[in-house]
Amino acid sequence: MSLKGTFSLVPGGASAGHVEARLILTNSGTSPCHMFGYVGMQLLDSSGAPLPTNVVRVPGTEQDVTVAPGASASALAQFSPDVSSNGDSPTPPCQPEATKTEVTPPDDTQFLVVPGPNSSVCGGGTIQIQPLEAYTGSGQ
């Protein structure tokens, strides 16, 4: 798969100490790719070292997404950048800043490195992720 990725903060998506960001995967290849389900993730610091990461799949409808060249699929992610819990530093920041994320597409063994989320991810790196869906560019 030839994919490139970005994180995009969802305007108005923050609530009760949480942030919503859309992970967008764009097909940079010349043929369509097919994805179904959830991505895997590993948060990284600025030097590329792994940070604590706990990906929690939010129950949702998984769908077969065909991504044409130049088109995108996305998944909504939610995390807390500032509400500490078990395993976090008691003083801010709760975890080191995650400036990159290894993202593994569903049913794939190769990952791509995506810039972001450029934030501390509290709860021992807990990110709630929804299933991939076709991305229309709305950001919601």
Short mmCIF file of all heavy atoms in Angstrom, two decimals, residues 48-121:
data_model
loop_
_atom_site.label_atom_id
_atom_site.label_comp_id
_atom_site.label_asym_id
_atom_site.label_seq_id
_atom_site.Cartn_x
_atom_site.Cartn_y
_atom_site.Cartn_z
N GLY A 48 11.95 9.40 17.54
CA GLY A 48 11.44 8.15 16.99
C GLY A 48 11.36 7.02 17.99
O GLY A 48 11.03 5.89 17.63
N ALA A 49 11.66 7.30 19.26
CA ALA A 49 11.58 6.28 20.30
C ALA A 49 10.12 6.03 20.68
O ALA A 49 9.33 6.97 20.75
CB ALA A 49 12.38 6.70 21.53
N PRO A 50 9.75 4.76 20.93
CA PRO A 50 8.38 4.44 21.31
C PRO A 50 7.99 5.08 22.64
O PRO A 50 8.79 5.16 23.57
CB PRO A 50 8.37 2.92 21.43
CG PRO A 50 9.61 2.45 20.76
CD PRO A 50 10.59 3.57 20.82
N LEU A 51 6.75 5.53 22.71
CA LEU A 51 6.15 6.05 23.94
C LEU A 51 5.05 5.10 24.38
O LEU A 51 4.54 4.31 23.57
CB LEU A 51 5.54 7.44 23.68
CG LEU A 51 6.52 8.55 23.32
CD1 LEU A 51 5.77 9.82 22.92
CD2 LEU A 51 7.45 8.83 24.50
N PRO A 52 4.64 5.16 25.65
CA PRO A 52 3.51 4.32 26.07
C PRO A 52 2.31 4.55 25.15
O PRO A 52 1.98 5.69 24.83
CB PRO A 52 3.21 4.80 27.49
CG PRO A 52 4.50 5.38 27.97
CD PRO A 52 5.14 5.99 26.74
N THR A 53 1.73 3.45 24.70
CA THR A 53 0.60 3.53 23.77
C THR A 53 -0.41 2.46 24.13
O THR A 53 -0.05 1.30 24.30
CB THR A 53 1.05 3.32 22.31
OG1 THR A 53 2.11 4.22 22.01
CG2 THR A 53 -0.10 3.53 21.34
N ASN A 54 -1.67 2.84 24.24
CA ASN A 54 -2.76 1.93 24.53
C ASN A 54 -3.91 2.28 23.60
O ASN A 54 -4.63 3.24 23.85
CB ASN A 54 -3.18 2.05 26.00
CG ASN A 54 -4.37 1.18 26.32
OD1 ASN A 54 -4.58 0.14 25.73
ND2 ASN A 54 -5.17 1.63 27.28
N VAL A 55 -4.03 1.54 22.51
CA VAL A 55 -5.08 1.81 21.52
C VAL A 55 -6.35 1.06 21.93
O VAL A 55 -6.32 -0.16 22.11
CB VAL A 55 -4.65 1.40 20.10
CG1 VAL A 55 -5.76 1.65 19.10
CG2 VAL A 55 -3.38 2.15 19.70
N VAL A 56 -7.44 1.80 22.10
CA VAL A 56 -8.72 1.22 22.49
C VAL A 56 -9.67 1.38 21.30
O VAL A 56 -9.94 2.50 20.86
CB VAL A 56 -9.29 1.94 23.74
CG1 VAL A 56 -10.66 1.39 24.09
CG2 VAL A 56 -8.32 1.81 24.90
N ARG A 57 -10.16 0.26 20.81
CA ARG A 57 -11.10 0.29 19.68
C ARG A 57 -12.50 0.66 20.16
O ARG A 57 -13.08 -0.03 20.99
CB ARG A 57 -11.14 -1.06 18.98
CG ARG A 57 -9.85 -1.40 18.28
CD ARG A 57 -9.93 -2.76 17.64
NE ARG A 57 -8.76 -3.01 16.82
CZ ARG A 57 -8.60 -4.09 16.08
NH1 ARG A 57 -9.55 -5.03 16.04
NH2 ARG A 57 -7.50 -4.25 15.39
N VAL A 58 -13.03 1.74 19.63
CA VAL A 58 -14.39 2.15 19.94
C VAL A 58 -15.33 1.32 19.07
O VAL A 58 -15.16 1.28 17.84
CB VAL A 58 -14.59 3.66 19.65
CG1 VAL A 58 -16.04 4.06 19.86
CG2 VAL A 58 -13.65 4.50 20.50
N PRO A 59 -16.29 0.61 19.67
CA PRO A 59 -17.19 -0.18 18.85
C PRO A 59 -17.88 0.69 17.80
O PRO A 59 -18.32 1.80 18.08
CB PRO A 59 -18.22 -0.73 19.86
CG PRO A 59 -17.50 -0.69 21.17
CD PRO A 59 -16.60 0.51 21.10
N GLY A 60 -17.92 0.18 16.59
CA GLY A 60 -18.56 0.90 15.49
C GLY A 60 -18.73 -0.04 14.32
O GLY A 60 -18.27 -1.17 14.34
N THR A 61 -19.37 0.46 13.30
CA THR A 61 -19.61 -0.34 12.11
C THR A 61 -18.37 -0.35 11.24
O THR A 61 -17.94 0.70 10.74
CB THR A 61 -20.81 0.23 11.31
OG1 THR A 61 -21.94 0.27 12.17
CG2 THR A 61 -21.11 -0.61 10.09
N GLU A 62 -17.79 -1.52 11.09
CA GLU A 62 -16.64 -1.66 10.21
C GLU A 62 -17.16 -1.79 8.78
O GLU A 62 -18.15 -2.45 8.53
CB GLU A 62 -15.81 -2.88 10.60
CG GLU A 62 -15.20 -2.76 11.98
CD GLU A 62 -14.42 -3.98 12.38
OE1 GLU A 62 -13.53 -4.40 11.61
OE2 GLU A 62 -14.70 -4.53 13.46
N GLN A 63 -16.49 -1.11 7.86
CA GLN A 63 -16.93 -1.15 6.47
C GLN A 63 -15.74 -1.31 5.54
O GLN A 63 -14.63 -0.89 5.86
CB GLN A 63 -17.71 0.12 6.14
CG GLN A 63 -17.01 1.40 6.55
CD GLN A 63 -17.93 2.60 6.46
OE1 GLN A 63 -18.35 2.97 5.39
NE2 GLN A 63 -18.22 3.22 7.59
N ASP A 64 -16.00 -1.96 4.42
CA ASP A 64 -14.97 -2.10 3.40
C ASP A 64 -14.82 -0.75 2.72
O ASP A 64 -15.78 -0.20 2.20
CB ASP A 64 -15.37 -3.18 2.39
CG ASP A 64 -14.28 -3.45 1.37
OD1 ASP A 64 -13.10 -3.19 1.67
OD2 ASP A 64 -14.61 -3.93 0.26
N VAL A 65 -13.62 -0.19 2.79
CA VAL A 65 -13.37 1.12 2.20
C VAL A 65 -12.39 0.94 1.04
O VAL A 65 -11.28 0.45 1.23
CB VAL A 65 -12.77 2.09 3.25
CG1 VAL A 65 -12.51 3.45 2.63
CG2 VAL A 65 -13.68 2.21 4.45
N THR A 66 -12.83 1.30 -0.16
CA THR A 66 -11.95 1.30 -1.33
C THR A 66 -11.46 2.72 -1.51
O THR A 66 -12.27 3.65 -1.65
CB THR A 66 -12.69 0.81 -2.58
OG1 THR A 66 -13.15 -0.53 -2.34
CG2 THR A 66 -11.78 0.83 -3.79
N VAL A 67 -10.14 2.89 -1.50
CA VAL A 67 -9.55 4.22 -1.58
C VAL A 67 -8.85 4.35 -2.93
O VAL A 67 -7.82 3.74 -3.18
CB VAL A 67 -8.56 4.46 -0.42
CG1 VAL A 67 -8.06 5.88 -0.44
CG2 VAL A 67 -9.21 4.14 0.93
N ALA A 68 -9.45 5.16 -3.80
CA ALA A 68 -8.88 5.40 -5.12
C ALA A 68 -7.59 6.22 -4.99
O ALA A 68 -7.38 6.90 -3.98
CB ALA A 68 -9.90 6.15 -5.98
N PRO A 69 -6.73 6.20 -6.01
CA PRO A 69 -5.54 7.05 -5.97
C PRO A 69 -5.93 8.51 -5.72
O PRO A 69 -6.85 9.02 -6.35
CB PRO A 69 -4.92 6.86 -7.35
CG PRO A 69 -5.37 5.50 -7.77
CD PRO A 69 -6.77 5.37 -7.22
N GLY A 70 -5.28 9.13 -4.75
CA GLY A 70 -5.56 10.52 -4.41
C GLY A 70 -6.70 10.69 -3.41
O GLY A 70 -6.87 11.77 -2.86
N ALA A 71 -7.49 9.64 -3.17
CA ALA A 71 -8.58 9.71 -2.21
C ALA A 71 -8.09 9.28 -0.83
O ALA A 71 -6.96 8.83 -0.67
CB ALA A 71 -9.75 8.84 -2.67
N SER A 72 -8.97 9.42 0.18
CA SER A 72 -8.55 9.16 1.55
C SER A 72 -9.59 8.36 2.33
O SER A 72 -10.77 8.37 2.02
CB SER A 72 -8.31 10.47 2.29
OG SER A 72 -7.35 11.26 1.64
N ALA A 73 -9.09 7.69 3.38
CA ALA A 73 -9.92 7.06 4.40
C ALA A 73 -9.52 7.73 5.72
O ALA A 73 -8.43 8.32 5.81
CB ALA A 73 -9.68 5.57 4.47
N SER A 74 -10.40 7.68 6.71
CA SER A 74 -10.05 8.31 7.97
C SER A 74 -10.66 7.55 9.14
O SER A 74 -11.58 6.75 8.98
CB SER A 74 -10.53 9.76 7.99
OG SER A 74 -11.93 9.82 8.11
N ALA A 75 -10.12 7.85 10.32
CA ALA A 75 -10.64 7.30 11.56
C ALA A 75 -10.57 8.40 12.61
O ALA A 75 -9.58 9.13 12.69
CB ALA A 75 -9.84 6.09 12.01
N LEU A 76 -11.60 8.52 13.40
CA LEU A 76 -11.64 9.52 14.45
C LEU A 76 -10.93 8.97 15.68
O LEU A 76 -11.19 7.84 16.11
CB LEU A 76 -13.09 9.87 14.79
CG LEU A 76 -13.30 11.09 15.67
CD1 LEU A 76 -12.76 12.36 15.00
CD2 LEU A 76 -14.77 11.25 16.00
N ALA A 77 -10.01 9.77 16.24
CA ALA A 77 -9.28 9.39 17.45
C ALA A 77 -9.59 10.39 18.55
O ALA A 77 -9.76 11.57 18.29
CB ALA A 77 -7.78 9.38 17.16
N GLN A 78 -9.66 9.90 19.79
CA GLN A 78 -9.88 10.78 20.93
C GLN A 78 -8.86 10.43 22.01
O GLN A 78 -8.59 9.26 22.27
CB GLN A 78 -11.29 10.61 21.48
CG GLN A 78 -11.63 11.60 22.59
CD GLN A 78 -13.03 11.42 23.13
OE1 GLN A 78 -13.40 10.33 23.54
NE2 GLN A 78 -13.80 12.49 23.14
N PHE A 79 -8.28 11.47 22.63
CA PHE A 79 -7.31 11.26 23.70
C PHE A 79 -7.31 12.47 24.62
O PHE A 79 -7.85 13.52 24.29
CB PHE A 79 -5.91 11.00 23.13
CG PHE A 79 -5.37 12.12 22.30
CD1 PHE A 79 -4.60 13.12 22.86
CD2 PHE A 79 -5.63 12.18 20.93
CE1 PHE A 79 -4.10 14.16 22.09
CE2 PHE A 79 -5.13 13.21 20.15
CZ PHE A 79 -4.36 14.21 20.73
N SER A 80 -6.68 12.29 25.78
CA SER A 80 -6.56 13.40 26.73
C SER A 80 -5.12 13.89 26.75
O SER A 80 -4.21 13.12 27.04
CB SER A 80 -6.96 12.96 28.13
OG SER A 80 -6.71 14.02 29.04
N PRO A 81 -4.91 15.18 26.47
CA PRO A 81 -3.57 15.72 26.51
C PRO A 81 -3.15 16.22 27.89
O PRO A 81 -1.99 16.53 28.10
CB PRO A 81 -3.64 16.89 25.53
CG PRO A 81 -5.04 17.36 25.64
CD PRO A 81 -5.87 16.13 25.90
N ASP A 82 -4.09 16.27 28.85
CA ASP A 82 -3.74 16.89 30.12
C ASP A 82 -4.43 16.33 31.36
O ASP A 82 -4.27 16.87 32.45
CB ASP A 82 -4.00 18.39 30.05
CG ASP A 82 -5.41 18.74 29.63
OD1 ASP A 82 -6.28 17.85 29.62
OD2 ASP A 82 -5.65 19.91 29.31
N VAL A 83 -5.19 15.25 31.26
CA VAL A 83 -5.83 14.65 32.43
C VAL A 83 -5.07 13.38 32.80
O VAL A 83 -5.20 12.35 32.15
CB VAL A 83 -7.32 14.34 32.17
CG1 VAL A 83 -7.95 13.69 33.40
CG2 VAL A 83 -8.08 15.60 31.77
N SER A 84 -4.23 13.49 33.84
CA SER A 84 -3.38 12.38 34.26
C SER A 84 -4.20 11.26 34.88
O SER A 84 -5.25 11.48 35.47
CB SER A 84 -2.34 12.85 35.28
OG SER A 84 -1.47 13.77 34.69
N SER A 85 -3.68 10.03 34.75
CA SER A 85 -4.29 8.87 35.39
C SER A 85 -3.16 7.92 35.77
O SER A 85 -1.98 8.29 35.72
CB SER A 85 -5.32 8.21 34.47
OG SER A 85 -4.70 7.66 33.34
N ASN A 86 -3.50 6.69 36.15
CA ASN A 86 -2.49 5.72 36.57
C ASN A 86 -1.40 5.56 35.51
O ASN A 86 -1.70 5.47 34.33
CB ASN A 86 -3.13 4.36 36.84
CG ASN A 86 -4.02 4.39 38.08
OD1 ASN A 86 -3.88 5.27 38.93
ND2 ASN A 86 -4.91 3.44 38.18
N GLY A 87 -0.16 5.54 35.96
CA GLY A 87 0.96 5.36 35.05
C GLY A 87 1.48 6.64 34.45
O GLY A 87 2.46 6.64 33.72
N ASP A 88 0.82 7.76 34.73
CA ASP A 88 1.25 9.05 34.20
C ASP A 88 2.08 9.80 35.23
O ASP A 88 1.99 9.53 36.43
CB ASP A 88 0.04 9.92 33.83
CG ASP A 88 -0.71 9.43 32.62
OD1 ASP A 88 -0.11 8.74 31.78
OD2 ASP A 88 -1.90 9.75 32.51
N SER A 89 2.83 10.76 34.76
CA SER A 89 3.56 11.65 35.66
C SER A 89 2.55 12.49 36.44
O SER A 89 1.58 12.98 35.85
CB SER A 89 4.47 12.57 34.84
OG SER A 89 5.02 13.57 35.66
N PRO A 90 2.76 12.67 37.74
CA PRO A 90 1.82 13.48 38.52
C PRO A 90 1.93 14.98 38.22
O PRO A 90 1.05 15.74 38.58
CB PRO A 90 2.19 13.18 39.97
CG PRO A 90 3.61 12.72 39.91
CD PRO A 90 3.79 12.08 38.57
N THR A 91 3.01 15.38 37.56
CA THR A 91 3.16 16.79 37.18
C THR A 91 3.14 16.88 35.66
O THR A 91 3.63 15.98 34.97
CB THR A 91 4.48 17.37 37.72
OG1 THR A 91 5.57 16.61 37.21
CG2 THR A 91 4.51 17.34 39.23
N PRO A 92 2.59 17.94 35.11
CA PRO A 92 2.52 18.09 33.65
C PRO A 92 3.91 18.13 33.03
O PRO A 92 4.83 18.64 33.65
CB PRO A 92 1.81 19.42 33.46
CG PRO A 92 1.06 19.65 34.74
CD PRO A 92 1.91 19.03 35.81
N PRO A 93 4.08 17.61 31.85
CA PRO A 93 3.08 16.86 31.09
C PRO A 93 2.95 15.44 31.62
O PRO A 93 3.89 14.89 32.19
CB PRO A 93 3.64 16.86 29.67
CG PRO A 93 5.12 16.89 29.86
CD PRO A 93 5.35 17.73 31.11
N CYS A 94 1.80 14.84 31.41
CA CYS A 94 1.54 13.48 31.91
C CYS A 94 2.41 12.44 31.23
O CYS A 94 2.79 11.45 31.83
CB CYS A 94 0.06 13.13 31.74
SG CYS A 94 -0.48 13.16 30.01
N GLN A 95 2.72 12.65 29.96
CA GLN A 95 3.58 11.78 29.15
C GLN A 95 4.40 12.69 28.24
O GLN A 95 4.00 13.83 27.97
CB GLN A 95 2.75 10.81 28.28
CG GLN A 95 1.96 9.78 29.04
CD GLN A 95 2.82 8.68 29.62
OE1 GLN A 95 3.93 8.42 29.16
NE2 GLN A 95 2.32 8.03 30.66
N PRO A 96 5.53 12.20 27.73
CA PRO A 96 6.28 13.01 26.76
C PRO A 96 5.41 13.29 25.52
O PRO A 96 4.49 12.53 25.20
CB PRO A 96 7.47 12.12 26.39
CG PRO A 96 7.61 11.18 27.54
CD PRO A 96 6.22 10.95 28.05
N GLU A 97 5.71 14.37 24.83
CA GLU A 97 4.95 14.74 23.63
C GLU A 97 5.15 13.71 22.52
O GLU A 97 6.27 13.33 22.19
CB GLU A 97 5.39 16.12 23.12
CG GLU A 97 4.62 16.56 21.90
CD GLU A 97 5.01 17.95 21.42
OE1 GLU A 97 5.94 18.56 21.99
OE2 GLU A 97 4.39 18.42 20.45
N ALA A 98 4.04 13.26 21.95
CA ALA A 98 4.06 12.35 20.80
C ALA A 98 4.08 13.21 19.54
O ALA A 98 3.09 13.85 19.21
CB ALA A 98 2.84 11.43 20.81
N THR A 99 5.22 13.25 18.87
CA THR A 99 5.34 14.08 17.67
C THR A 99 5.15 13.27 16.39
O THR A 99 5.01 13.84 15.32
CB THR A 99 6.70 14.78 17.61
OG1 THR A 99 7.73 13.79 17.62
CG2 THR A 99 6.88 15.72 18.80
N LYS A 100 5.15 11.95 16.53
CA LYS A 100 4.95 11.05 15.38
C LYS A 100 4.16 9.84 15.85
O LYS A 100 4.15 9.52 17.04
CB LYS A 100 6.29 10.56 14.83
CG LYS A 100 7.28 11.63 14.45
CD LYS A 100 8.60 10.98 14.07
CE LYS A 100 9.73 11.96 14.30
NZ LYS A 100 11.03 11.34 14.16
N THR A 101 3.54 9.17 14.91
CA THR A 101 2.81 7.95 15.22
C THR A 101 3.04 6.93 14.11
O THR A 101 2.89 7.25 12.93
CB THR A 101 1.29 8.22 15.34
OG1 THR A 101 1.08 9.24 16.32
CG2 THR A 101 0.53 6.98 15.75
N GLU A 102 3.44 5.72 14.51
CA GLU A 102 3.45 4.62 13.55
C GLU A 102 2.01 4.16 13.39
O GLU A 102 1.34 3.88 14.38
CB GLU A 102 4.28 3.44 14.08
CG GLU A 102 5.76 3.67 14.08
CD GLU A 102 6.53 2.47 14.62
OE1 GLU A 102 5.91 1.45 15.03
OE2 GLU A 102 7.76 2.55 14.65
N VAL A 103 1.54 4.12 12.16
CA VAL A 103 0.17 3.69 11.88
C VAL A 103 0.25 2.46 10.99
O VAL A 103 0.87 2.50 9.91
CB VAL A 103 -0.64 4.80 11.20
CG1 VAL A 103 -2.03 4.30 10.80
CG2 VAL A 103 -0.75 6.02 12.10
N THR A 104 -0.37 1.38 11.43
CA THR A 104 -0.43 0.15 10.64
C THR A 104 -1.85 0.00 10.12
O THR A 104 -2.80 -0.14 10.90
CB THR A 104 -0.06 -1.07 11.49
OG1 THR A 104 1.23 -0.85 12.09
CG2 THR A 104 -0.01 -2.34 10.64
N PRO A 105 -2.02 0.06 8.78
CA PRO A 105 -3.36 -0.12 8.22
C PRO A 105 -3.91 -1.51 8.56
O PRO A 105 -3.14 -2.44 8.83
CB PRO A 105 -3.14 0.01 6.71
CG PRO A 105 -1.86 0.80 6.59
CD PRO A 105 -1.03 0.36 7.75
N PRO A 106 -5.23 -1.66 8.55
CA PRO A 106 -5.82 -2.97 8.85
C PRO A 106 -5.29 -4.06 7.92
O PRO A 106 -5.04 -3.81 6.74
CB PRO A 106 -7.32 -2.75 8.60
CG PRO A 106 -7.52 -1.28 8.63
CD PRO A 106 -6.23 -0.66 8.21
N ASP A 107 -5.09 -5.23 8.49
CA ASP A 107 -4.65 -6.41 7.72
C ASP A 107 -3.33 -6.18 7.00
O ASP A 107 -3.09 -6.74 5.93
CB ASP A 107 -5.72 -6.87 6.73
CG ASP A 107 -6.99 -7.29 7.43
OD1 ASP A 107 -6.89 -7.93 8.50
OD2 ASP A 107 -8.08 -6.98 6.94
N ASP A 108 -2.48 -5.34 7.54
CA ASP A 108 -1.18 -5.07 6.95
C ASP A 108 -0.13 -5.28 8.02
O ASP A 108 -0.43 -5.23 9.22
CB ASP A 108 -1.12 -3.63 6.42
CG ASP A 108 -0.10 -3.46 5.31
OD1 ASP A 108 0.82 -4.29 5.18
OD2 ASP A 108 -0.21 -2.46 4.56
N THR A 109 1.10 -5.52 7.61
CA THR A 109 2.19 -5.70 8.56
C THR A 109 3.20 -4.57 8.47
O THR A 109 4.09 -4.47 9.30
CB THR A 109 2.92 -7.04 8.31
OG1 THR A 109 3.37 -7.07 6.96
CG2 THR A 109 1.99 -8.22 8.57
N GLN A 110 3.05 -3.71 7.48
CA GLN A 110 3.95 -2.57 7.34
C GLN A 110 3.25 -1.31 7.83
O GLN A 110 2.07 -1.11 7.58
CB GLN A 110 4.36 -2.40 5.88
CG GLN A 110 5.19 -3.56 5.37
CD GLN A 110 5.66 -3.34 3.95
OE1 GLN A 110 5.24 -2.41 3.28
NE2 GLN A 110 6.54 -4.20 3.48
N PHE A 111 4.02 -0.48 8.53
CA PHE A 111 3.45 0.75 9.07
C PHE A 111 4.00 1.94 8.30
O PHE A 111 4.99 1.85 7.59
CB PHE A 111 3.75 0.90 10.56
CG PHE A 111 5.22 0.98 10.88
CD1 PHE A 111 5.91 2.18 10.81
CD2 PHE A 111 5.92 -0.16 11.27
CE1 PHE A 111 7.25 2.25 11.11
CE2 PHE A 111 7.28 -0.09 11.57
CZ PHE A 111 7.94 1.11 11.49
N LEU A 112 3.30 3.06 8.44
CA LEU A 112 3.81 4.33 7.94
C LEU A 112 3.93 5.26 9.13
O LEU A 112 3.23 5.09 10.14
CB LEU A 112 2.89 4.93 6.87
CG LEU A 112 1.47 5.29 7.27
CD1 LEU A 112 1.04 6.56 6.52
CD2 LEU A 112 0.54 4.15 6.88
N VAL A 113 4.85 6.20 9.08
CA VAL A 113 5.03 7.16 10.16
C VAL A 113 4.30 8.44 9.79
O VAL A 113 4.55 9.02 8.73
CB VAL A 113 6.52 7.42 10.44
CG1 VAL A 113 6.67 8.48 11.53
CG2 VAL A 113 7.22 6.12 10.85
N VAL A 114 3.38 8.83 10.67
CA VAL A 114 2.53 9.99 10.45
C VAL A 114 2.95 11.08 11.43
O VAL A 114 3.12 10.81 12.62
CB VAL A 114 1.04 9.60 10.68
CG1 VAL A 114 0.13 10.80 10.57
CG2 VAL A 114 0.63 8.51 9.71
N PRO A 115 3.10 12.32 10.98
CA PRO A 115 3.37 13.41 11.92
C PRO A 115 2.19 13.60 12.87
O PRO A 115 1.04 13.52 12.47
CB PRO A 115 3.53 14.66 11.04
CG PRO A 115 3.60 14.17 9.64
CD PRO A 115 3.02 12.80 9.59
N GLY A 116 2.49 13.85 14.14
CA GLY A 116 1.44 14.13 15.12
C GLY A 116 1.17 12.97 16.03
O GLY A 116 1.77 11.92 15.89
N PRO A 117 0.35 13.18 17.02
CA PRO A 117 -0.58 14.28 17.18
C PRO A 117 0.02 15.56 17.77
O PRO A 117 -0.71 16.52 18.00
CB PRO A 117 -1.65 13.71 18.10
CG PRO A 117 -0.93 12.72 18.95
CD PRO A 117 0.12 12.13 18.04
N ASN A 118 1.33 15.57 18.03
CA ASN A 118 2.01 16.76 18.59
C ASN A 118 1.40 17.16 19.92
O ASN A 118 1.09 18.33 20.17
CB ASN A 118 1.99 17.93 17.60
CG ASN A 118 2.74 17.59 16.35
OD1 ASN A 118 3.81 16.97 16.40
ND2 ASN A 118 2.20 17.96 15.21
N SER A 119 1.25 16.18 20.79
CA SER A 119 0.63 16.38 22.08
C SER A 119 1.07 15.28 23.03
O SER A 119 1.47 14.20 22.60
CB SER A 119 -0.89 16.32 21.93
OG SER A 119 -1.53 16.39 23.18
N SER A 120 0.96 15.56 24.30
CA SER A 120 1.07 14.52 25.31
C SER A 120 -0.21 13.70 25.23
O SER A 120 -1.28 14.24 24.93
CB SER A 120 1.21 15.18 26.68
OG SER A 120 1.31 14.22 27.68
N VAL A 121 -0.11 12.39 25.45
CA VAL A 121 -1.29 11.52 25.43
C VAL A 121 -1.36 10.83 26.79
O VAL A 121 -0.60 9.90 27.06
CB VAL A 121 -1.25 10.51 24.27
CG1 VAL A 121 -2.48 9.62 24.29
CG2 VAL A 121 -1.15 11.25 22.93
#
